[in-house]
Amino acid sequence: MSLFLEVVPVALAVETVRSIAPAIGDEIVPIGDALHRVLAGDVRAGGDLPGFDRSVVDGYAVRASDTTGSSESMPAMLALQGRIEMGQAPPGSVGPDRCWYIPTGGVMPPGADAVAMVEYAERAGDEVLVHRAVAPGENVLGRDEDFAAGSVVLPAGRRLSPQDLGVLAAAGVAEVAVRRVPKIGIISTGNEVVPVEAALTPGRVRDANSYLCAGFVQEQGCEPRLYGIVQDSPALLRPVLEEAAASCDCVLISGGSSKDVRDMSAGVIGDLGEVLIHGIAIAPGKPTIIGRVGTTPVIGLPGHPGSAFIVLVAVVRHLLAAMSGTPVSPCRVRARLAANIPSAKGREDYVRVRLEDGAATPVFGKSGLLNTLVQSDGIVVVPAGCEGFETGEEVEVVLW
């Protein structure tokens, strides 16, 4: 067995995971249970919204032509017909040189095409003096100005926010079709890995990756399922991976991906299914495995949490998004480098940086350090064909 990996570009790794993302199906849920769920299809308006012409201010419903030329010194004088109540149809129409008082949200009476704000009008007995001309449609929300019947209210693939739920309710949508929440199995491997609550002895490390992966998976709108710690034994890993692949939509295995005689993840994945990629031209994260067991994608992550997290961000995020039917749109900002970032050609370098006052300071550290994960705000990606960036260069920072 060769001890060297045959690495592929990050773009090919992303293309591969997206191509093997399984279809996970849809379900119908009440909108009260739909927060952060992903729409399976477009939601269209069943009728016009708001469904009637209404005022957006407190004022007087008028014919705009009756206010032409009005000013402080020469106001338009209109006969007040009465008051329009909230939630009720107007009791009459607006004729020439007439008006109705209308509150914000009130239904516009027939004949009126604008609203003169109370701030620019003055009541004098049964008459109203309008001190500022209004144009047709001014201070009026049209019956289909929010959403026209049949138009898309929310598109497929949208992860629903609290404001989305409010819009759905206003549109009379009580239930929505959403993507089923992908279930992601998480397995930690390594003879050196012990539970979080265990006391450390020389050579041992606590199981950080299970919780790192679970948190990332939840942040992407998926459901993590932890399968615990498995020692470096193909015979022990095989049944756990079989169970996880049968019960989950995707499986993440941390550790056991490096190319040496102890690290056995690729062998077990290959025995149960197929290994599509073993090695990505990315730093950190080179020994990443992409495979599948049946139709279930299986990703072998590096054992070190810092490297594992970079692979989650650079590759696994695309797999989870493809399963969920959502776009990958991380938050990005521009900043100037406070120090040089060296890089070797032929691989993408993902360099952690800290942001302060518009400057990005690289957070370098020895392999195995965990503090760079919490002392950084995001990453700068150095393309494979680039030898790095120099101090003062403007770079794009992908925020965590």
Side-chain angles (χ1 to χ4, degrees):
M1 179 179 70
S2 171
L3 295 179
F4 298 96
L5 300 173
E6 296 180 6
V7 298
V8 303
V10 174
L12 179 57
V14 170
E15 180 183 334
T16 300
V17 297
R18 294 190 73 91
S19 71
I20 63 173
I24 60 171
D26 311 330
E27 59 182 346
I28 305 294
V29 300
I31 60 171
D33 297 331
L35 182 63
H36 299 153
R37 300 295 297 274
V38 177
L39 284 177
D42 293 345
V43 176
R44 295 182 179 273
D48 292 336
L49 281 179
F52 58 92
D53 294 339
R54 72 182 186 190
S55 175
V56 297
V57 297
D58 292 338
Y60 297 92
V62 301
R63 300 194 318 168
S65 59
D66 289 338
T67 69
T68 301
S70 60
S71 64
E72 287 287 342
S73 60
M74 189 174 292
M77 185 175 295
L78 307 177
L80 180 62
Q81 301 294 98
R83 178 187 181 93
I84 295 169
E85 300 295 340
M86 283 294 296
Q88 296 182 16
S93 61
V94 173
D97 299 320
R98 301 288 189 271
C99 68
W100 285 83
Y101 176 80
I102 188 169
T104 301
V107 181
M108 290 290 289
D113 61 1
V115 177
M117 296 175 64
V118 292
E119 290 86 346
Y120 305 115
E122 178 185 355
R123 183 171 176 179
D126 292 334
E127 294 184 329
V128 174
L129 306 180
V130 178
H131 297 283
R132 178 181 290 188
V134 290
E138 188 169 340
N139 299 320
V140 176
L141 183 67
R143 63 174 295 112
D144 64 352
E145 196 170 334
D146 220 347
F147 296 101
S151 66
V152 175
V153 177
L154 295 173
R158 185 181 181 96
R159 193 176 296 279
L160 294 173
S161 65
Q163 54 268 43
D164 292 336
L165 300 185
V167 169
L168 290 172
V173 178
E175 296 180 326
V176 286
V178 294
R179 291 290 188 99
R180 189 168 59 79
V181 177
K183 297 176 176 58
I184 313 300
I186 298 170
I187 305 170
S188 280
T189 70
N191 293 335
E192 74 282 11
V193 181
V194 296
V196 173
E197 63 275 9
L200 293 183
T201 57
R204 301 287 184 171
V205 296
R206 295 189 180 95
D207 179 20
N209 280 347
S210 285
Y211 300 94
L212 174 75
C213 292
F216 183 84
V217 161
Q218 286 180 299
E219 193 173 58
Q220 304 305 307
C222 303
E223 177 188 327
R225 291 188 173 183
L226 272 58
Y227 285 83
I229 302 166
V230 178
Q231 294 202 332
D232 289 325
S233 164
L236 295 176
L237 178 59
R238 183 184 181 103
V240 178
L241 179 54
E242 281 185 303
E243 179 187 351
S247 304
C248 300
D249 301 300
C250 171
V251 180
L252 305 178
I253 304 174
S254 69
S257 65
S258 297
K259 197 82 166 179
D260 70 32
V261 294
R262 277 193 318 104
D263 294 326
M264 73 306 175
S265 294
V268 174
I269 295 169
D271 289 343
L272 295 175
E274 59 181 330
V275 174
L276 303 172
I277 289 173
H278 191 183
I280 302 176
I282 185 174
K286 179 180 176 180
T288 299
I289 302 165
I290 299 173
R292 59 184 167 190
V293 174
T295 60
T296 304
V298 180
I299 309 298
L301 301 170
H304 179 250
S307 300
F309 190 62
I310 293 298
V311 176
L312 289 172
V313 170
V315 179
V316 175
R317 172 185 280 168
H318 292 271
L319 172 59
L320 302 183
M323 294 167 63
S324 301
T326 57
V328 175
S329 52
C331 185
R332 306 169 189 268
V333 298
R334 305 291 295 182
R336 294 199 176 274
L337 278 179
N340 290 342
I341 293 180
S343 179
K345 279 190 174 182
R347 72 183 186 194
E348 283 189 15
D349 268 328
Y350 285 63
V351 180
R352 280 152 271 191
V353 296
R354 181 176 63 254
L355 293 174
E356 187 174 4
D357 298 329
T361 303
V363 181
F364 297 118
K366 295 178 181 179
S367 178
L369 287 177
L370 295 173
N371 56 30
T372 58
L373 284 175
V374 294
Q375 292 176 358
S376 56
D377 300 303
I379 50 174
V380 170
V381 180
V382 184
C386 178
E387 293 185 341
F389 298 125
E390 295 184 352
T391 301
E393 277 194 67
E394 188 178 65
V395 295
E396 184 178 74
V397 179
V398 181
L399 300 179
W400 295 136

